[in-house]
């Protein structure tokens, strides 16, 4: 038999796989507690397995179990190789991919030197020991390292000449008199097949010669080294390690479930450590967010997690996270069994800092000004770092280079480096440049590092903005997005230091990138900082101050705070009319006009937008021209001018397509879909909305994606596809709530009420509508108020509460007339016609339908026209004019622009009062134009 376990066909084999494993550990001499740690189970579980073994084997002691196992073949007769691997105080967690990769390297005879390297606290030693322990327990025959596996700690080996006796002591070799120790050791190791694990090699650079000699004289010897720095020799197989697995920001934003979160190794390590402090600790819905924050703050660094968990006896996870944000020294412990260098993160980092020379320290400290990584070019411009400097810092595990070529610093190291920079710049500890030193230039430049950082990224923003205006390529946007952390810091510093030129250089392009990415809240916060610094009274004295206010107010508008934004726009426009800056004036008029559109002041919105349009046509700014055209398209839609709206939207679409402006295309397609819907062309509307949705999803435009989902839901609803409509609206609602879009949320709540009403769940429908009404009133969104009131009236009608419904629709009509919202006026009139008919007030009902018909026909809203005709047909039936009622019903039932519910009502009247043959005959007698013309002509 080969290996530790018997052949499965052996007649003596009656043990389970886990029982065989426990027996193997007994054979290796492990205690029950050590077996529990290896298997990551409780001590009581191991004891239960041992009792099972004794019963099955018919023995009463460990010695008898081992003897029986070897006689029967359940245990291999060969012993494990010698080793001195120290037992670990806790089970090893995670790192499965790393262990698998190390196992491959260790099995490869061509790889003789493996260096596990990373910053202090990353778990290099534990990983190396876990890999070595796996080899100790290997079932492979012959064993890959039959002469042993030995751990040599270099933590207290201060000089290279002490390494030789340290190795000899670990492997049990005794020197004899009369020979040079190194020669004796090399001679002894020459024929051996063994693994040496050299831990903390970074402080032994002078020992590289011995490492090379070991490789030369002992061809079957393999070296597994842990170090904060690379050995930088040709034979070295590098094995860098980062933190334990932990959800990143994007994953964390997707509401990870408790069970899924518990599967991450960083979370598992925190839980393991926490239970040693608080035995009853468990991951719960209440603490999972805070535990996740802790693990993410240290980016999965094992030492950081261990040190954080030691505070659980005193603080809650939330308090621990708060303290970690404030102070690096918080991550420390006084546990006596932890190595001195691992009792605090500062101690771990200080050791790496001391390994750098003066220049390298200055460069590393300056790199702390970056956020979210940096490029080689940025590092050179800001810190003076050469390629060699960056390489040295990488070799010391202080920098990481991503596959994309960017450099990153661990967040905790970044905090440490920032403290070092502050100390280097502090008057009492400032570095004094030495003119004779080769590092003089670096040291002299230290005080201006923040100025250089801000200037670099101001210029970067301007350069990318110019390229983006010429060709709106996604790679430009991605490049800027990658640097947003640095751009934000550059902006805040320039604002705080009142560097007006830098702020002016960044403002326009920074605004458009935030707008493009729909990051309205963050944009509002950053521009608020600048407004408070440069124009706190919000009374601009210069055109650039007015432009700053306009951009801030645009973000405020996007966040639905219309009352705050409106006076800012008015003041800015007044200032800009007096300045010679037509481009800024056009922008202010465009944004102000769009605000008034959102508030339902369509005439004012149209006036402002038309003035902006005229200015942009003179300036020949195609990007801005496309946007104001689309805003105008949306305004005239609300005024019922759908043909004009289509013209504006098509011009906007053409401009965007010529400029490869895909976001502008998506907006124009959306407007075309709205106009097509109102003109009764549902197939075209669905196609436009679907194209817009595809573009917006591809661009990552969350706001636009939500809008497209919303209007596609309307199409599905009108087709009677309620499940499809509900799915679309629920997706829309989730996005809008996540974005904090209260105005959009109100719209979507209204639509979900439609679904509930269609399913006769009137209580749920009323709840949706009332939530929407409350939001709209709170936002001052009178358009939304009118819509919600109409919908509440519909629900009241469905429940037979006609007087209450009548009141709702009258209120809706009054609001819609105030803001000249033609679409809602038409809806309210139609609903009032329905309610008045139910109340047998037929003359009043007819007058409502007549006015609704006139408005719908004038605006070419075919679906609304047909709905009004259907209502009039119902009145005609009750007044005895059956032939005219059937004529109207036949036209409505046969017209392709009729909504499903309208068509169904018309068909019901036809089936009840007229044979199919007569229906077709009457429908053929006159066209829609003739019938409507006759009904609207004065008597």
């Amino acid at each position: 038999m080969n290996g530790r376990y018997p052949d499965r066909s052996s007649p003596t084999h009656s043990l389970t796989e886990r029982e065989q494993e426990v027996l193997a550990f007994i054979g290796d001499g492990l205690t029950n507690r050590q077996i529990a740690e290896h298997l990551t189970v409780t001590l009581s579980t191991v004891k239960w397995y041992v009792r099972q073994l004794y019963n099955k084997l018919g023995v009463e002691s460990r010695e008898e179990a081992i003897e029986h196992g070897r006689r029967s073949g359940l245990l291999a007769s060969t012993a494990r190789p010698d080793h001195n691997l120290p037992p670990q105080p806790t089970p090893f967690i995670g790192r499965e991919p790393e262990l698998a990769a190390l196992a491959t390297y260790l099995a490869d005879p061509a790889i003789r030197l493996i260096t596990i390297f990373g910053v202090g606290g990353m778990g290099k030693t534990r990983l190396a020991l876990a890999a070595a322990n796996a080899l100790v327990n290997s079932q492979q025959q012959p064993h890959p390292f039959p002469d042993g596996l030995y751990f040599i700690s270099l933590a207290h080996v201060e000089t290279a000449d002490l390494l030789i006796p340290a190795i000899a002591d670990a492997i049990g070799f005794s020197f004899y008199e009369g020979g040079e120790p190194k020669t004796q050791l090399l001679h002894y190791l020459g024929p051996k097949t063994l693994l040496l694990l050299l831990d903390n090699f970074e402080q032994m650079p002078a020992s590289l010669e011995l490492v090379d000699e070991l490789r030369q004289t002992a061809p079957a010897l393999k070296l597994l080294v842990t170090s904060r720095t690379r050995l930088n020799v040709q034979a070295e197989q590098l094995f860098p390690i980062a933190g334990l697995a932990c959800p990143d920001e994007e994953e964390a934003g997707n509401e990870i479930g408790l069970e899924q979160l518990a599967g991450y190794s960083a979370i598992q390590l925190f839980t393991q450590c926490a239970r040693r402090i608080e035995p009853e600790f468990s991951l719960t819905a209440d603490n999972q967010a805070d535990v996740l924050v802790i693990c993410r703050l240290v980016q999965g660094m094992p030492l950081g997690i261990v040190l954080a968990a030691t505070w659980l006896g005193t603080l809650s996870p939330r308090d621990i996270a708060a303290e970690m944000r404030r102070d690096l020294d918080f991550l420390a412990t006084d546990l006596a069994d932890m190595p001195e260098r691992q009792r605090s993160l500062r101690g771990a980092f200080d050791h790496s800092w001391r390994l750098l020379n003066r220049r390298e320290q200055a460069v590393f400290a300056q790199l702390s000004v970056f956020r979210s990584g940096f490029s080689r070019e940025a590092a050179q411009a800001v810190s003076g770092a050469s390629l060699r400097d960056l390489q040295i810092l990488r070799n010391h595990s202080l920098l990481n280079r991503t596959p994309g070529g960017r450099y990153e610093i661990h967040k905790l190291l970044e905090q440490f480096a920032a403290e070092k920079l502050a100390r280097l710049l502090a008057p009492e500890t400032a570095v004094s440049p030495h003119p004779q030193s080769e590092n003089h230039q670096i040291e002299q430049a230290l005080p201006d590092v923040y100025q250089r950082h801000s200037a670099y990224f101001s210029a970067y923003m301007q350069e990318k903005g110019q390229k983006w205006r010429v060709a709106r390529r996604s790679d430009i946007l991605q490049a800027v997005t990658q640097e947003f952390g640095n751009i934000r810091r550059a902006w805040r510093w320039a604002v705080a230091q009142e560097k007006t030129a830098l702020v002016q250089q960044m403002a326009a392009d920074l605004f458009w990138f935030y707008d493009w990415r729909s990051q309205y809240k963050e944009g509002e916060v950053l521009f608020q900082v600048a407004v408070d610094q440069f124009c706190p009274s919000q009374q601009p004295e210069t055109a650039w101050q007015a432009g700053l206010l306009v951009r801030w107010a645009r973000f405020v508008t996007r966040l639905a705070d219309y009352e705050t934004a409106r006076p800012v726009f008015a003041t800015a426009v007044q200032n800009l009319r007096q300045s010679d800056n037509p481009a800024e004036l056009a922008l202010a008029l465009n944004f102000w006009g769009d605000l008034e559109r959102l508030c339902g002041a369509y005439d004012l919105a149209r006036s402002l937008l038309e003035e902006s349009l005229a200015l942009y046509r003179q300036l020949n700014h195609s990007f801005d021209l496309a946007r104001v055209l689309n805003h105008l398209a949306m305004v005239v839609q609300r005024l019922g001018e759908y043909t004009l709206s289509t013209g504006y939207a098509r011009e906007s679409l053409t401009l965007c397509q010529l400029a490869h402006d895909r976001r502008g295309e998506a907006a124009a397609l959306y407007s075309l879909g709205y106009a097509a819907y109102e003109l009764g062309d549902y197939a075209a509307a669905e196609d436009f909305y679907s194209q817009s949705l595809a573009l917006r999803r591809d661009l990552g435009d969350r706001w636009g994606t939500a809008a497209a989902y919303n209007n596609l839901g309307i199409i599905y609803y009108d087709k009677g596809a309620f499940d499809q409509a509900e799915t679309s609206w629920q997706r829309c609602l989730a996005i809008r709530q996540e974005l904090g879009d209260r105005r959009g949320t109100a719209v979507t709540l209204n639509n979900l009420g439609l679904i509930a009403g269609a399913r006769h769940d009137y209580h749920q429908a009323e709840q949706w509508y009332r939530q929407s009404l409350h939001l709209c009133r709170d936002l001052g969104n009178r358009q939304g108020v009118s819509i919600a009131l109409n919908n509440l009236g519909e629900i009241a009608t469905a429940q037979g509460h006609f007087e209450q419904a009548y009141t709702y629709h009258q209120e809706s009509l009054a609001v819609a007339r105030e803001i000249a919202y033609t679409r809602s006026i038409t809806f309210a009139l139609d609903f009032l016609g329905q309610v008045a008919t139910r109340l047998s007030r037929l003359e009043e009902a007819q007058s409502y339908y007549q006015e609704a018909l006139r408005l719908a026909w004038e605006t070419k809203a075919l679906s609304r026209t047909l709905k009004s005709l259907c209502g009039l047909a119902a009145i005609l039936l009750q007044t005895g004019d059956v032939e005219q009622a059937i004529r109207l019903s036949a036209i409505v039932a046969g017209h392709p622009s009729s909504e499903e519910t309208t068509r169904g009502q018309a068909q019901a009247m036809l089936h009840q009062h007229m044979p199919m043959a007569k229906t077709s005959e009457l429908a053929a007698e006159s066209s829609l134009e003739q019938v409507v013309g006759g009904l609207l002509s004065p008597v």
Side-chain angles (χ1 to χ4, degrees):
M1 185 198 77
N2 294 323
R4 292 165 63 192
Y5 302 143
D7 188 282
R8 293 286 181 180
S9 62
S10 169
T12 61
H13 176 64
S14 61
L15 305 182
T16 66
E17 186 172 340
R18 176 51 62 92
E19 289 165 353
Q20 291 181 44
E21 195 170 9
V22 170
L23 177 60
F25 282 126
I26 291 174
D28 292 336
L30 271 66
T31 66
N32 285 352
R33 186 173 298 280
Q34 288 172 327
I35 295 171
E37 290 173 356
H38 275 284
L39 298 178
T40 318
V41 297
T42 64
L43 181 60
S44 61
T45 300
V46 173
K47 289 179 178 179
W48 183 86
Y49 278 119
V50 170
R51 287 195 300 273
Q52 290 292 104
L53 277 171
Y54 288 0
N55 290 335
K56 289 185 177 182
L57 299 179
V59 299
E60 296 181 355
S61 69
R62 282 174 164 253
E63 292 73 16
E64 291 180 9
I66 293 170
E67 180 62 27
H68 186 287
R70 286 176 178 165
R71 281 201 320 269
S72 62
L74 287 170
L75 281 177
S77 58
T78 55
R80 293 192 305 172
D82 290 336
H83 70 88
N84 72 335
L85 304 182
Q88 298 303 297
T90 59
F92 187 73
I93 286 178
R95 302 283 194 196
E96 287 84 2
E98 290 93 332
L99 286 171
L102 277 175
T104 300
Y105 288 154
L106 288 165
D108 188 342
I111 298 175
R112 305 269 313 287
L113 171 61
I114 304 165
T115 303
I116 302 174
F117 81 103
V119 70
M122 202 56 78
K124 302 181 292 294
T125 302
R126 287 299 304 267
L127 175 61
L129 286 170
N133 265 309
L135 285 169
V136 167
N137 298 318
S138 171
Q139 302 173 43
Q140 183 179 342
Q141 294 295 332
H143 195 279
F145 298 107
D147 295 316
L149 303 91
Y150 300 99
F151 175 81
I152 300 100
S153 174
L154 305 179
H156 302 294
V157 179
E158 299 175 355
T159 59
D161 60 334
L162 295 178
L163 179 58
I164 293 172
I167 295 175
D169 183 61
I171 65 176
F173 174 72
S174 299
F175 295 106
Y176 50 86
E177 294 182 8
E180 200 267 328
K182 182 171 74 170
T183 303
Q184 292 183 41
L185 180 65
L186 292 175
H187 184 266
Y188 174 79
L189 291 174
K192 302 292 185 183
T193 301
L194 50 73
L195 175 70
L196 294 184
L197 199 167
L198 302 177
D199 189 43
N200 292 300
F201 197 85
E202 65 273 356
Q203 60 194 41
M204 305 292 295
S207 299
L208 285 175
E209 181 182 345
L210 177 62
V211 168
D212 189 57
E213 289 183 273
L214 285 169
R215 290 178 48 253
Q216 297 297 328
T217 59
L221 178 144
K222 187 163 293 200
L223 295 167
L224 179 60
V225 175
T226 72
S227 177
R228 300 186 185 201
T229 65
R230 304 179 183 190
L231 275 58
N232 274 339
V233 294
Q234 290 185 4
E236 180 181 32
Q237 172 62 58
L238 291 171
F239 197 89
I241 65 167
L244 294 172
C246 183
D248 59 25
E249 288 187 39
E250 183 177 345
E251 290 175 304
N254 293 332
E255 297 185 7
I256 292 178
L258 195 61
E259 185 176 347
Q260 183 182 357
L261 183 63
Y264 285 88
S265 53
I267 306 297
Q268 291 171 0
L269 178 60
F270 182 89
T271 303
Q272 179 198 78
C273 297
R275 285 175 179 163
R276 293 202 301 275
I277 307 297
E278 295 283 341
E280 301 304 317
F281 178 87
S282 63
L283 195 65
T284 67
D286 291 334
N287 66 26
Q288 69 175 68
D290 300 313
V291 172
L292 176 57
V293 168
I294 291 169
C295 293
R296 290 188 63 242
L297 282 172
V298 298
Q299 292 183 290
M301 178 186 283
L303 180 58
I305 294 171
V306 171
L307 294 175
T310 61
W311 283 95
L312 267 179
T314 307
L315 300 173
S316 69
R318 179 162 300 179
D319 292 334
I320 292 172
E323 291 294 336
M324 287 171 64
R325 288 190 178 98
R326 280 194 287 268
D327 186 6
L328 182 63
D329 284 326
F330 172 76
L331 291 176
T333 184
D334 56 1
L335 291 176
D337 62 343
M338 287 190 72
E340 184 67 34
R341 69 184 187 281
Q342 292 187 348
R343 293 187 185 179
S344 76
L345 275 185
R346 182 177 299 284
F349 295 164
D350 270 329
H351 180 69
S352 293
W353 173 262
R354 289 191 294 271
L355 295 173
L356 304 176
N357 65 31
R358 183 177 176 125
R359 172 192 173 87
E360 293 157 2
Q361 288 177 346
V363 168
F364 181 59
Q366 290 181 88
L367 292 177
S368 68
V369 302
F370 288 104
R371 290 293 177 269
S372 306
F374 50 89
S375 65
R376 172 187 169 187
E377 294 76 17
Q380 169 65 43
V382 174
S383 72
S386 66
L387 186 59
R388 178 169 176 77
D389 291 328
L390 297 175
Q391 184 66 25
I392 288 170
L393 294 174
R394 282 187 67 202
N395 289 347
H396 282 75
S397 305
L398 297 174
L399 283 186
N400 177 45
R401 189 170 184 270
T402 68
R406 285 174 65 78
Y407 293 89
E408 294 177 344
I409 305 177
H410 192 282
K411 286 186 183 298
L412 293 174
L413 272 173
E414 188 179 272
Q415 184 180 342
F416 174 80
E419 292 176 4
K420 292 296 185 183
L421 177 62
R423 180 161 299 191
L424 290 174
L425 296 176
E428 65 276 12
T429 57
V431 172
S432 300
H434 295 279
Q436 305 304 319
S437 168
E438 62 175 333
N439 302 326
H440 175 258
Q441 188 175 359
I442 290 286
E443 295 165 351
Q444 192 176 43
L446 269 169
D448 298 322
V449 63
Y450 290 102
Q451 166 77 27
R452 291 194 301 276
H453 180 273
S454 187
Y456 179 87
F457 284 103
S458 295
Y460 176 90
M461 194 76 209
Q462 188 176 53
E463 175 207 347
K464 294 298 182 184
Q466 288 171 349
K467 289 181 179 178
W468 184 71
R469 284 190 291 274
V470 173
R472 288 167 182 82
R473 302 197 316 266
S474 60
D475 62 314
I476 298 173
L477 183 64
Q478 289 168 1
V480 174
T481 301
Q482 197 169 226
E483 296 291 4
F484 253 20
N486 286 309
I487 291 166
R488 282 192 295 267
R489 165 159 257 199
W491 171 269
R492 286 186 177 278
W493 185 88
V495 168
Q497 299 299 316
E498 298 188 4
K499 302 291 184 181
T500 306
L502 291 178
V503 175
Q504 284 183 265
Q505 186 179 12
M506 295 181 74
D509 295 309
L510 184 64
F511 166 79
W512 280 119
F513 275 106
Y514 269 115
D515 184 75
W516 183 267
R517 291 182 57 81
S518 304
Q519 293 179 311
Y520 305 130
K521 181 58 184 175
E522 186 176 325
E524 186 273 332
V525 169
L526 278 190
F527 275 77
Q528 174 79 66
V529 170
V531 166
D532 290 345
Q533 183 71 278
F534 296 106
C535 194
S537 67
Q538 297 186 12
Q539 297 296 320
E541 298 177 0
T542 64
W544 99 264
Q545 288 176 322
L548 188 65
L549 283 166
V550 164
R551 289 166 175 80
W552 171 69
R554 176 59 170 174
F555 288 130
V556 173
T557 302
R558 290 289 204 178
L559 297 171
D561 188 356
Y562 308 127
E563 297 309 312
T564 297
R566 181 180 286 110
V568 176
F569 284 132
T571 302
V573 165
Q574 183 180 6
N575 176 279
L576 290 166
R577 287 194 192 284
Q578 299 168 6
S579 68
D580 185 23
N581 198 327
E584 286 295 304
L585 176 59
L587 185 73
L589 291 165
N590 184 13
F591 290 164
W592 186 8
D594 196 46
L595 178 148
E596 298 301 347
R597 171 187 71 84
L598 293 168
C599 292
Y602 300 119
D603 289 334
L604 175 57
R606 185 174 194 166
S607 173
L608 293 166
L609 292 169
E610 285 176 344
E611 184 181 354
S612 177
L613 178 65
L615 285 169
Y616 279 134
R617 288 199 190 281
Q618 292 173 12
L619 293 166
N620 196 27
H621 285 190
S622 61
F623 173 80
D624 301 290
L625 180 60
R627 272 147 184 77
V628 77
L629 281 165
N630 199 53
H631 288 160
L632 262 172
M634 290 189 283
V635 167
V636 297
Q637 283 169 2
R638 270 48 176 196
L639 295 170
E641 300 178 41
Y642 301 116
T643 302
L644 179 60
S645 170
T646 299
Y648 283 141
R650 286 203 177 278
E651 185 180 356
S652 177
L653 179 63
T654 299
L655 288 170
C656 293
Q657 288 173 333
L658 288 171
H660 305 290
D661 180 358
R662 298 172 70 215
R663 177 166 176 155
E665 284 184 56
L669 287 165
Y670 178 86
S671 294
L672 286 169
Y674 193 104
Y677 174 82
E678 290 299 333
L679 291 168
D681 191 346
Y682 302 131
E686 184 173 355
D687 183 52
F688 284 133
Y689 287 145
S690 296
Q691 289 183 60
S692 180
L693 175 63
L695 277 171
R696 283 170 156 164
R697 290 177 65 178
D698 189 45
L699 291 166
D701 176 6
R702 304 280 286 160
W703 288 73
T705 297
Y709 274 133
N710 182 70
N711 283 29
L712 275 171
I714 294 171
I715 298 287
Y716 300 143
Y717 174 82
D718 287 343
K719 288 162 59 175
F722 298 140
D723 289 345
Q724 216 173 346
E726 184 177 29
T727 298
S728 194
W729 283 333
Q730 286 289 2
R731 288 173 177 169
C732 173
L733 182 65
I735 295 172
R736 285 175 164 171
Q737 288 179 331
E738 178 189 332
L739 293 172
D741 178 10
R742 298 173 69 214
R743 186 179 189 277
T745 295
V747 171
T748 317
L749 290 170
N750 242 322
N751 291 339
L752 286 168
L754 294 176
I755 293 290
R759 291 172 174 160
H760 308 295
D761 187 352
Y762 302 126
H763 175 71
Q764 179 62 70
E766 185 174 353
Q767 284 187 317
W768 289 128
Y769 293 147
R770 289 199 179 280
Q771 287 183 50
S772 177
L773 180 62
H774 175 76
L775 269 176
C776 290
R777 282 178 169 160
D778 190 43
L779 293 168
N781 177 8
R782 292 185 293 169
Q783 175 185 328
V785 168
S786 177
I787 294 170
L789 287 168
N790 265 335
N791 289 338
L792 282 167
E794 270 205 283
I795 291 301
T797 297
Q799 297 178 90
H801 306 147
F802 301 125
E803 293 293 350
Q804 185 183 27
Y806 188 84
T807 300
Y808 280 134
H809 292 314
Q810 283 289 4
E811 287 182 42
S812 174
L813 181 61
V815 174
R817 289 194 193 281
E818 286 174 9
I819 60 176
Y821 183 20
T822 305
R823 189 169 188 267
S824 199
I825 292 171
T826 308
F827 270 92
L829 289 168
D830 265 327
F831 289 137
L832 283 166
Q834 293 175 35
V835 174
T837 301
R838 296 291 190 93
L839 294 170
S840 299
R841 302 203 290 253
L842 300 184
E843 187 175 341
E844 183 182 351
Q846 187 168 358
S847 69
Y848 288 134
Y849 281 130
Q850 285 283 143
E851 185 180 355
L853 179 64
R854 177 181 58 78
L855 279 173
W857 187 249
E858 287 175 354
T859 58
K860 295 183 172 55
L862 290 180
S863 64
R864 309 310 308 162
T865 297
L866 294 160
K867 191 170 186 66
S868 298
L869 285 178
C870 191
L872 285 168
I875 292 175
L876 291 169
L877 280 176
Q878 292 190 51
T879 57
D881 192 348
V882 176
E883 185 171 323
Q884 178 69 339
I886 296 303
R887 182 176 287 108
L888 298 185
S889 299
I891 289 172
V892 172
H895 201 285
S897 295
S898 289
E899 296 175 3
E900 287 298 317
T901 53
T902 305
R903 180 179 289 108
Q905 292 167 7
Q907 289 172 340
M909 286 189 284
L910 290 171
H911 292 159
Q912 185 177 355
H913 296 282
M914 183 65 62
M916 187 61 67
K918 185 64 175 176
T919 297
S920 302
E921 182 183 328
L922 285 173
E925 288 180 2
S926 53
S927 65
L928 177 63
E929 290 77 8
Q930 291 172 327
V931 169
V932 174
L935 290 169
L936 296 180
S937 61
V939 179

